[in-house]
Amino acid sequence: MASVGWWRWLLRGVLLCLLSSAALAADESDGETEAPAAELKVANRTILVLRATLLGESPEIRAARARAVINEVLDSSSELKVSLQPVHGSIIVRLGDRRAFIVSPGDVDPVQYESVEAAANAAAQVLHQVVSENEESRNLRFMLLAVVYSVVATVVFLLLIRLIYFLRGKVLGALPGVMQRHTRALKLGSTQVVDVHQLFPVVSRVLHAVRWLIVLLLTYEWLSFVLSRFPYTRPWGESLNSYLVDLARYLFDGIVSAVPGLGVAVAIFFIARGLSAFVQRLLKRMAVHGDNDAWLNQETLAPTRRLSALAVWLFALAMAYPYLPGAGTEAFKGLSVLLGLMVSLGASSVIGQAASGLILTYTRTLRPGEYVRIGEHEGTVTEMGMFTTRIRTGLGEVLSIPNSMITGSVTKNYSRSVKGQGYVIDTTVTIGYDTPWRQVEAMLIEAARRTEGILAEPKPQVFQTALSDYYPEYRLVAQAVPSQPRPRAALLSALHAHIQDVFNEYGVQIMSPHYIADPQDAKWVPKENWYAEPARREPPGN
């Protein structure tokens, strides 16, 4: 009997050598035809992924044969031992006294395992766990305890869900009173910053989202715990746990890895803040000690400070951008492309308006309080912005004129050439050549003297601007007082009224706007007809 057993082991060794030689030959021929990999999975556990073709059997056939052998052995025996047997570069994984499967060099994934031995050991450990779980599934006491644990976990889970709903109701009931007390203290002047009626729906939605998040996490953990109690579903529970742990580890690693870059970005922003404050103080000192004709004065201080702060913060943002978390992701790249496209398509006119506003500011073409004429519009400048300039006309209208229109048109400034405060007021009349020019000048100056709001110093002046075919043109130029409540249109109307009165007093005909021929009688109004009905005896312009 002993000799028979010896010959049996000898024959078995010869067969194993032949099998390993065939396996090596098959491995050499795998480069010619590669079959798809097959997963060897038993009782929901992946033991090994087979990739090589052995003895003409594809990985799929090998996996099916190994699965059949393992299930057969598990059904026939209760106490089994997993062992390894090296054979010419390959390793046979044995379950009890039977060969379960062979791990060849072609089955090894170099990313996961360093050698055939490492892959075989890992597969043997998983197979041993399958054997242990198979024994547990046949143990009635173990299965009853698993059911008890699952029931207890389910009861605790339901109680926690009930507690969450109870706490949410309590919080929502007490929230309006708490919010009312605390929001009363948040005031900007006499205005309450936060309205409870608007804030409460937002907070309730946040609490609703937090409640569902906690419920989902509890459900996830309850399902993972229950599945892990039973041998057959334990791999599913372990995968749920591992997924949650991997997710938490991924988030934690991302936060930890982002801390150094975030620290650098925060340091850059702090430096930018200090530099911006220093530049603001420096510009303020320069504006105080500078004269009105310098590029930096009290008028240009505010836009210069804004531009310098914007430049510093844009430079800081460009420096800190690579260190921000997620700056290198595809999402940030797509957002950068979208912002660039929006700026290139829609911001050309805005940039042009802003550039025109800077030109007006630093060339000091206009100043608030000056009386100007821009194209067909005239009035007092009330506000100069980055994109528009507002003027108040003599009729009480407020016009918003784009800065690009101002830089592209002729601007007449009536306040810039005067001495001190005020603005220039002028008008033109045409008188025939038969009237002495000295008399015309005297009458125009007299009309200006009678007009309330026109300054006596500097004295009004009269210029002969043209000697036309039928009449000379006279232009009266005077300076008005800006503090008068009367706008320029009303003041000009009063001046025109006084010009008519003076010319009527001296019987001089005004030839405006066009001269055709000399009439038989001069066209003027006698003084006794100045207040014909329904006119009233009031000074002109009042």
Side-chain angles (χ1 to χ4, degrees):
M1 292 298 293
S3 61
V4 174
W6 182 79
W7 282 104
R8 182 182 298 171
W9 284 104
L10 181 61
L11 290 174
R12 183 177 294 174
V14 173
L15 289 175
L16 290 176
C17 291
L18 293 175
L19 288 173
S20 61
S21 300
L24 292 175
D27 291 340
E28 294 177 357
S29 63
D30 282 345
E32 300 177 359
T33 57
E34 294 185 357
E39 185 180 22
L40 176 56
K41 194 171 186 179
V42 179
N44 288 329
R45 287 199 180 275
T46 300
I47 299 176
L48 182 67
V49 178
L50 302 176
R51 295 178 173 84
T53 300
L54 293 178
L55 297 176
E57 293 183 349
S58 63
E60 185 177 359
I61 297 177
R62 291 175 57 201
R65 188 183 299 277
R67 192 180 303 109
V69 171
I70 294 173
N71 289 329
E72 182 181 353
V73 174
L74 291 176
D75 292 338
S76 61
S77 303
S78 59
E79 295 182 1
L80 298 172
K81 182 180 180 182
V82 180
S83 60
L84 302 178
Q85 184 177 354
V87 179
H88 294 285
S90 299
I91 296 179
I92 300 176
V93 180
R94 302 178 62 83
L95 182 58
D97 58 353
R98 295 188 61 180
R99 174 176 62 87
F101 53 90
I102 300 176
V103 182
S104 67
D107 296 324
V108 179
D109 184 5
V111 178
Q112 291 182 326
Y113 307 108
E114 298 178 355
S115 61
V116 179
E117 290 77 9
N121 287 327
Q125 292 178 2
V126 178
L127 183 58
H128 180 73
Q129 190 173 4
V130 171
V131 173
S132 301
E133 291 175 348
N134 181 65
E135 294 177 357
E136 291 176 353
S137 63
R138 298 181 179 183
N139 190 333
L140 180 60
R141 181 175 180 276
F142 181 85
M143 296 300 293
L144 290 176
L145 286 176
V147 172
V148 172
Y149 289 148
S150 300
V151 172
V152 172
T154 303
V155 172
V156 173
F157 168 72
L158 295 177
L159 290 176
L160 290 176
I161 297 297
R162 182 65 179 174
L163 179 62
I164 290 172
Y165 276 84
F166 175 77
L167 292 177
R168 179 179 178 272
K170 289 292 185 181
V171 171
L172 289 179
L175 190 60
V178 175
M179 294 173 59
Q180 188 70 31
R181 289 194 302 270
H182 289 281
T183 53
R184 287 175 181 173
L186 297 175
K187 288 185 177 181
L188 187 59
S190 60
T191 304
Q192 189 168 329
V193 178
V194 181
D195 188 4
V196 178
H197 300 289
Q198 297 177 353
L199 184 61
F200 181 76
V202 176
V203 176
S204 63
R205 292 190 186 97
V206 172
L207 292 177
H208 184 74
V210 170
R211 179 196 64 180
W212 276 110
L213 180 61
I214 297 175
V215 169
L216 291 176
L217 288 176
L218 289 176
T219 305
Y220 191 94
E221 288 297 326
W222 167 79
L223 184 61
S224 174
F225 179 82
V226 172
L227 293 177
S228 299
R229 296 308 96 197
F230 301 93
Y232 186 79
T233 58
R234 187 174 298 162
W236 299 340
E238 292 175 353
S239 64
L240 291 177
N241 281 329
S242 63
Y243 175 77
L244 191 60
V245 172
D246 292 341
L247 179 61
R249 184 183 295 111
Y250 172 77
L251 295 176
F252 180 77
D253 292 341
I255 294 173
V256 172
S257 61
V259 167
L262 191 60
V264 174
V266 171
I268 292 175
F269 288 135
F270 270 107
I271 294 174
R273 180 183 178 185
L275 180 61
S276 177
F278 171 76
V279 172
Q280 300 296 312
R281 291 191 295 269
L282 178 62
L283 292 175
K284 187 175 181 179
R285 291 195 299 270
M286 292 175 62
V288 170
H289 295 89
D291 54 12
N292 291 330
D293 295 331
W295 70 273
L296 183 62
N297 50 36
Q298 294 298 326
E299 296 179 6
T300 60
L301 176 61
T304 304
R305 294 178 68 176
R306 289 194 294 266
L307 289 175
S308 62
L310 180 63
V312 170
W313 283 107
L314 286 178
F315 182 76
L317 181 61
M319 292 290 294
Y321 177 79
Y323 300 99
L324 295 177
T329 60
E330 296 297 329
F332 265 70
K333 294 178 182 178
L335 182 61
S336 302
V337 173
L338 178 62
L339 290 177
L341 184 62
M342 292 172 61
V343 171
S344 61
L345 292 179
S348 58
S349 61
V350 176
I351 295 175
Q353 295 286 357
S356 300
L358 293 177
I359 293 173
L360 293 177
T361 300
Y362 286 99
T363 58
R364 291 188 287 279
T365 305
L366 307 175
R367 292 174 181 172
E370 293 182 339
Y371 197 93
V372 298
R373 182 178 181 86
I374 303 171
E376 299 178 354
H377 311 288
E378 67 175 41
T380 304
V381 179
T382 59
E383 181 182 351
M384 293 185 60
M386 181 67 71
F387 304 104
T388 59
T389 296
R390 291 185 174 88
I391 64 173
R392 186 180 65 251
T393 66
L395 301 177
E397 302 170 333
V398 177
L399 305 180
S400 296
I401 303 176
N403 289 332
S404 59
M405 175 181 173
I406 300 176
T407 56
S409 61
V410 177
T411 301
K412 183 182 293 186
N413 195 321
Y414 294 100
S415 302
R416 189 62 57 86
S417 60
V418 301
K419 296 180 180 179
Q421 294 185 352
Y423 58 86
V424 173
I425 184 169
D426 63 330
T427 186
T428 301
V429 295
T430 55
I431 309 299
Y433 283 105
D434 55 347
T435 304
W437 63 267
R438 294 176 179 84
Q439 182 186 16
V440 175
E441 290 186 4
M443 287 188 295
L444 290 175
I445 292 176
E446 175 64 19
R449 185 187 63 80
R450 294 182 183 183
T451 305
E452 184 181 0
I454 293 182
L455 299 178
E457 290 293 336
K459 295 180 179 180
Q461 292 179 300
V462 178
F463 301 92
Q464 297 187 41
T465 58
L467 297 177
S468 301
D469 293 339
Y470 304 104
Y471 49 78
E473 295 181 1
Y474 299 90
R475 183 181 179 187
L476 172 64
V477 180
Q479 183 172 340
V481 182
S483 59
Q484 294 290 333
R486 179 182 301 174
R488 187 175 185 272
L491 187 62
L492 191 61
S493 177
L495 177 62
H496 288 163
H498 285 294
I499 290 175
Q500 295 180 66
D501 289 346
V502 172
F503 275 66
N504 286 327
E505 288 178 5
Y506 294 95
V508 177
Q509 178 179 348
I510 299 176
M511 309 300 293
S512 301
H514 298 289
Y515 183 92
I516 303 297
D518 289 328
Q520 293 182 354
D521 298 323
K523 301 297 183 180
W524 61 282
V525 180
K527 189 172 183 179
E528 58 269 15
N529 296 333
W530 285 5
Y531 299 99
E533 294 295 336
R536 295 179 298 176
R537 292 180 176 271
E538 292 182 357
N542 291 345

Coordinates of all heavy atoms in Angstrom, one line a residue, residues 20-34 51-56 88 90 104-107:
S20 N 2.4 22.7 -16.1 CA 3.1 24.0 -16.1 C 3.8 24.3 -17.4 O 3.9 25.4 -17.8 CB 4.1 23.9 -14.9 OG 5.1 22.9 -15.2
S21 N 4.3 23.2 -18.0 CA 5.0 23.4 -19.3 C 4.0 23.9 -20.4 O 4.2 24.8 -21.2 CB 5.6 22.1 -19.8 OG 6.6 21.7 -18.9
A22 N 2.8 23.3 -20.3 CA 1.7 23.7 -21.2 C 1.3 25.1 -20.9 O 1.0 25.9 -21.8 CB 0.5 22.8 -21.1
A23 N 1.3 25.5 -19.6 CA 0.9 26.8 -19.3 C 1.9 27.8 -19.8 O 1.6 28.9 -20.3 CB 0.8 27.0 -17.7
L24 N 3.2 27.5 -19.7 CA 4.3 28.4 -20.2 C 4.2 28.5 -21.7 O 4.3 29.6 -22.3 CB 5.6 27.9 -19.8 CG 6.0 27.9 -18.3 CD1 7.3 27.3 -18.0 CD2 6.0 29.4 -17.8
A25 N 3.9 27.4 -22.4 CA 3.7 27.5 -23.8 C 2.5 28.4 -24.2 O 2.6 29.1 -25.2 CB 3.6 26.1 -24.4
A26 N 1.5 28.2 -23.4 CA 0.3 29.0 -23.7 C 0.6 30.5 -23.4 O 0.1 31.4 -24.1 CB -0.9 28.6 -22.9
D27 N 1.4 30.8 -22.4 CA 1.7 32.2 -22.1 C 2.5 32.8 -23.2 O 2.4 34.0 -23.6 CB 2.6 32.3 -20.8 CG 1.7 31.9 -19.6 OD1 0.5 32.0 -19.7 OD2 2.3 31.5 -18.6
E28 N 3.4 32.0 -23.9 CA 4.2 32.5 -25.0 C 3.3 32.8 -26.2 O 3.6 33.7 -27.0 CB 5.3 31.5 -25.3 CG 6.4 31.4 -24.2 CD 7.4 30.4 -24.6 OE1 7.2 29.8 -25.7 OE2 8.4 30.2 -23.8
S29 N 2.3 32.0 -26.3 CA 1.4 32.2 -27.5 C 0.3 33.3 -27.2 O -0.5 33.6 -28.1 CB 0.7 30.9 -27.9 OG -0.1 30.4 -26.8
D30 N 0.2 33.8 -26.0 CA -0.8 34.8 -25.7 C -0.6 36.1 -26.5 O -1.6 36.8 -26.7 CB -0.8 35.1 -24.2 CG -1.5 34.0 -23.4 OD1 -2.2 33.2 -24.1 OD2 -1.3 33.9 -22.2
G31 N 0.6 36.4 -26.8 CA 0.8 37.6 -27.5 C 0.2 37.6 -28.9 O 0.0 38.7 -29.5
E32 N 0.0 36.4 -29.5 CA -0.6 36.3 -30.8 C -2.1 36.6 -30.7 O -2.7 37.4 -31.5 CB -0.3 35.0 -31.4 CG 1.2 34.7 -31.5 CD 1.5 33.4 -32.1 OE1 0.5 32.6 -32.3 OE2 2.7 33.0 -32.3
T33 N -2.8 35.9 -29.8 CA -4.3 36.1 -29.7 C -4.6 36.3 -28.2 O -4.4 35.4 -27.4 CB -5.0 34.8 -30.2 OG1 -4.6 33.7 -29.5 CG2 -4.8 34.6 -31.7
E34 N -5.1 37.4 -27.8 CA -5.4 37.8 -26.5 C -6.9 37.7 -26.3 O -7.7 38.4 -27.0 CB -4.9 39.2 -26.1 CG -3.4 39.3 -26.1 CD -2.9 40.7 -25.7 OE1 -3.8 41.5 -25.4 OE2 -1.7 40.9 -25.6
R51 N -6.5 36.6 -16.8 CA -6.2 37.3 -18.0 C -5.5 36.4 -19.1 O -5.5 36.7 -20.3 CB -5.3 38.5 -17.8 CG -5.9 39.6 -16.9 CD -5.0 40.7 -16.7 NE -5.6 41.9 -16.0 CZ -5.8 41.9 -14.7 NH1 -5.4 41.0 -13.9 NH2 -6.5 43.0 -14.2
A52 N -4.8 35.3 -18.6 CA -4.0 34.5 -19.5 C -4.8 33.3 -20.0 O -5.8 32.9 -19.4 CB -2.8 34.1 -18.8
T53 N -4.4 32.8 -21.2 CA -5.0 31.6 -21.7 C -4.1 30.4 -21.4 O -2.9 30.4 -21.8 CB -5.2 31.7 -23.2 OG1 -6.1 32.8 -23.5 CG2 -5.8 30.5 -23.8
L54 N -4.6 29.4 -20.8 CA -3.8 28.2 -20.4 C -4.5 26.9 -21.0 O -5.7 26.7 -20.9 CB -3.8 28.1 -18.8 CG -3.0 29.1 -18.1 CD1 -3.1 28.9 -16.6 CD2 -1.6 29.2 -18.5
L55 N -3.6 26.1 -21.6 CA -4.0 24.8 -22.2 C -5.2 25.0 -23.2 O -6.1 24.2 -23.2 CB -4.4 23.8 -21.1 CG -3.3 23.4 -20.1 CD1 -3.9 22.5 -19.0 CD2 -2.2 22.8 -20.8
G56 N -5.1 26.1 -23.9 CA -6.2 26.4 -24.8 C -7.5 26.9 -24.2 O -8.4 27.1 -25.0
H88 N 6.9 25.8 -11.8 CA 7.6 26.4 -12.9 C 7.0 27.9 -13.2 O 6.6 28.1 -14.3 CB 7.4 25.6 -14.2 CG 8.1 24.2 -14.1 ND1 9.4 24.1 -14.2 CD2 7.6 23.0 -13.8 CE1 9.8 22.8 -14.0 NE2 8.6 22.1 -13.8
S90 N 4.5 29.4 -12.2 CA 3.1 29.6 -11.9 C 2.8 29.1 -10.5 O 3.6 28.3 -9.9 CB 2.2 28.9 -12.9 OG 2.4 29.4 -14.2
S104 N -1.0 32.3 -13.2 CA 0.2 32.4 -14.1 C 0.7 33.8 -14.2 O 0.0 34.8 -13.8 CB -0.2 31.9 -15.5 OG -1.1 32.8 -16.1
P105 N 1.9 34.0 -14.7 CA 2.4 35.4 -14.9 C 1.6 36.3 -15.7 O 1.5 37.5 -15.6 CB 3.8 35.2 -15.5 CG 4.2 33.8 -15.1 CD 3.0 33.0 -15.0
G106 N 0.8 35.6 -16.7 CA -0.1 36.4 -17.5 C -1.3 37.0 -16.8 O -2.0 37.9 -17.3
D107 N -1.6 36.4 -15.6 CA -2.7 36.9 -14.9 C -2.4 38.0 -13.9 O -3.3 38.6 -13.3 CB -3.3 35.7 -14.0 CG -3.8 34.6 -14.9 OD1 -4.4 34.9 -15.9 OD2 -3.7 33.4 -14.5

